[in-house]
Amino acid sequence: MAEEKKAPIGVWTTIKPFVNGGTSGMLATCVIQPIDMIKVRIQLGQGSAASVTTTMLKNEGFGAFYKGLSAGLLRQATYTTARLGSFKLLTAKASEANDGKPLPLYQKALCGLTAGAIGATVGSPADLALIRMQADNTLPLAQRRNYTNAFHALYRISADEGVLALWKGCGPTVVRAMALNMGMLASYDQTAEYMRDNIGLGETSTVVGASAVSGLCAAACSLPFDFVKTQIQKMQPHAQGKYPYTGSLDCAMKTLKAGGPLKFYTGFPVYCVRIAPHVMMTWIFLNQITKFQKTIGL
C-alpha cells in the first residue's frame, strides 16, 4: 500500500511547476488582454495608445478589447505552462549539479533561454491564432478571416493553409521568447536572491520588487523580436501573390532600412506597460498559488 501512495505524489511533484505556471499565466492574461490588444493595434500602425483606445471604443465597443481572449488563454495554457515548468526543472537539475549552491547568473540565463525556446515551440500555434484574431478588424472586409474563437482559428489555418502553417513565424517567435525569458526568468531569480539575502527584504517586498525588475528586463530584451514576429504573422500576400517579407531576417533588414533602429521599439511604452504588469502578475499569482498549495499540503 505504501508504494501505491508514493506514485501519485511523485507525479504531482513533476507536473506541479507546469500546472502552477500555466494557471498563473492565464490569470495574468485575463487582466492584461485589453492592453495587449492596444499594443498590437499600435504596431499595426493605427496610431497612439489614446487614439487606438478611443477608436476601438467608438467603432467596436468594449468587447473588442477582449477579442482573441480564448487564443490568449490557450497560449498561456501551452506556452507559459511549458516555459515556467521547464525553467523550474532545468534550474533544479542545474542546482543539483552545483551541489545545491545558488546558480550563477549565466546559468540562469541559459536555463531561461532553453525554457523560452521550449515554451514558444509548444505555444506557437496559439500565438499565431491570437495575433490573427487581434489584427482581423484592421483588415479590409474582403480580407478578414472572421475566426470565432481560438479553436476555430486553428482549424481554419490547418484546413486552408496546411498543418505546418500553424508554426508560421515560429522562428521569430522562438527567438523572441528566448530573449524575453532570458530577461524575465534569470533576472527574477537573481533579484529575488539579492533582495532576500543581501538586503533582507520580506517575502512580499521581494516578490513585488523582483517581479518589477523581471518585467522591465523582459520588455527591454524582447520588443524588437516581438515587432518582427508580429509583422511576419499578420502579413498578407500582394496582388501578385508574393508576401512582403521572405522571412524574419528580411523583415528586420527592411524595417531597419525604412525606419532605423528605433522602428523596432514602436509602441515601447505600451509594450512595457503590457509586458511588465503581465510578468509581475504572473510571478505574484505563482507565489500565491504556491503558498495556497502549501497550506493545504500539496
Side-chain angles (χ1 to χ4, degrees), residues 76 117 208 221 225 231 277 281:
Q76 294 300 318
V208 173
C221 290
F225 302 100
Q231 299 303 311
M281 283 186 284

Side-chain angles (χ1 to χ4, degrees), residues 108-120:
K108 294 172 184 174
L110 288 174
C111 290
L113 285 169
T114 305
I118 293 171

Side-chain angles (χ1 to χ4, degrees), residues 74-84 86 112-128 166-181 185 229 233:
L74 179 61
R75 180 176 183 270
Q76 294 300 318
T78 52
Y79 169 59
T80 299
T81 296
R83 67 178 173 135
L84 291 187
S86 298
L113 285 169
T114 305
I118 293 171
T121 302
V122 173
S124 187
D127 191 53
L128 176 61
L166 292 172
W167 280 269
K168 190 174 192 177
C170 183
T173 298
V174 170
V175 173
R176 180 255 189 189
M178 291 172 70
L180 185 148
N181 284 283
L185 301 176
K229 175 184 69 72
Q233 289 183 327

Side-chain angles (χ1 to χ4, degrees), residues 20-45:
N20 290 356
T23 303
S24 62
M26 292 172 75
L27 290 171
T29 290
C30 289
V31 179
I32 292 300
Q33 178 69 15
I35 300 176
D36 191 39
M37 172 64 81
I38 294 170
K39 183 265 296 185
V40 171
R41 294 291 182 92
I42 291 173
Q43 288 185 330
L44 294 177

Side-chain angles (χ1 to χ4, degrees), residues 11-152:
V11 170
W12 171 243
T13 301
T14 302
I15 67 172
K16 181 179 177 180
F18 293 92
V19 173
N20 290 356
T23 303
S24 62
M26 292 172 75
L27 290 171
T29 290
C30 289
V31 179
I32 292 300
Q33 178 69 15
I35 300 176
D36 191 39
M37 172 64 81
I38 294 170
K39 183 265 296 185
V40 171
R41 294 291 182 92
I42 291 173
Q43 288 185 330
L44 294 177
Q46 291 199 337
S48 66
S51 64
V52 166
T53 302
T54 303
T55 301
M56 288 179 65
L57 283 172
K58 181 180 179 180
N59 297 338
E60 304 172 51
F62 182 77
F65 291 99
Y66 280 91
K67 186 175 180 63
L69 179 61
S70 60
L73 293 176
L74 179 61
R75 180 176 183 270
Q76 294 300 318
T78 52
Y79 169 59
T80 299
T81 296
R83 67 178 173 135
L84 291 187
S86 298
F87 182 73
K88 187 71 172 180
L89 293 184
L90 289 168
T91 52
K93 291 293 184 183
S95 183
E96 286 179 15
N98 204 30
D99 298 324
K101 298 176 184 177
L103 297 177
L105 181 59
Y106 81 90
Q107 289 189 5
K108 294 172 184 174
L110 288 174
C111 290
L113 285 169
T114 305
I118 293 171
T121 302
V122 173
S124 187
D127 191 53
L128 176 61
L130 174 62
I131 291 293
R132 288 195 177 185
M133 291 178 72
Q134 289 179 328
D136 206 40
N137 283 349
T138 70
L139 300 173
L141 287 175
Q143 295 181 16
R144 292 183 186 179
R145 301 177 176 97
N146 297 314
Y147 301 137
T148 57
N149 55 55
F151 295 103
H152 180 233

